[in-house]
Amino acid sequence: MRVAINGFGRIGRSVFRIMNEQNDINVVAINDLADNDALAYLLKYDTVHGELKTKINHSDKLIEVNGKKIDMMHETEISKI
């Protein structure tokens, strides 16, 4: 199943961690207003769940987690996506 996440705050990142461990779920896009540098850092170093023990890279257009490329969007109007 392909999934997109709208909002990558505390709940969005927690849901991502759960889905990332599933073999039948593939997160393909994330929409959040924060920049990808901050989002990648918050995903990697969570104050409650601890450090995510996987390799995370990012650019202006995507975040890569364990080799999986996830498109990043920064749209305030979800209907425009």
Side-chain angles (χ1 to χ4, degrees), residues 8-79:
F8 209 49
R10 165 71 58 206
I11 295 170
R13 290 190 309 272
S14 295
V15 170
F16 176 85
R17 282 173 170 250
I18 293 167
M19 289 191 294
N20 192 48
E21 295 176 1
Q22 307 300 314
N23 293 328
D24 59 341
I25 299 175
N26 188 20
V27 177
V28 296
I30 297 171
N31 183 46
D32 195 275
L33 298 180
D35 63 275
N36 293 352
D37 184 44
L39 294 174
Y41 181 87
L42 291 170
L43 178 62
K44 179 77 174 173
Y45 303 103
D46 190 279
T47 57
V48 174
H49 301 289
E51 182 178 344
L52 187 61
K53 303 293 185 196
T54 187
K55 187 173 181 176
I56 298 176
N57 294 317
H58 68 282
S59 68
D60 292 339
K61 303 256 184 217
L62 60 89
I63 288 181
E64 187 176 341
V65 180
N66 251 1
K68 294 180 185 176
K69 294 181 180 179
I70 303 164
D71 291 328
M72 297 299 293
M73 295 172 265
H74 306 285
E75 183 61 57
T76 57
E77 286 289 328
I78 194 69
S79 62

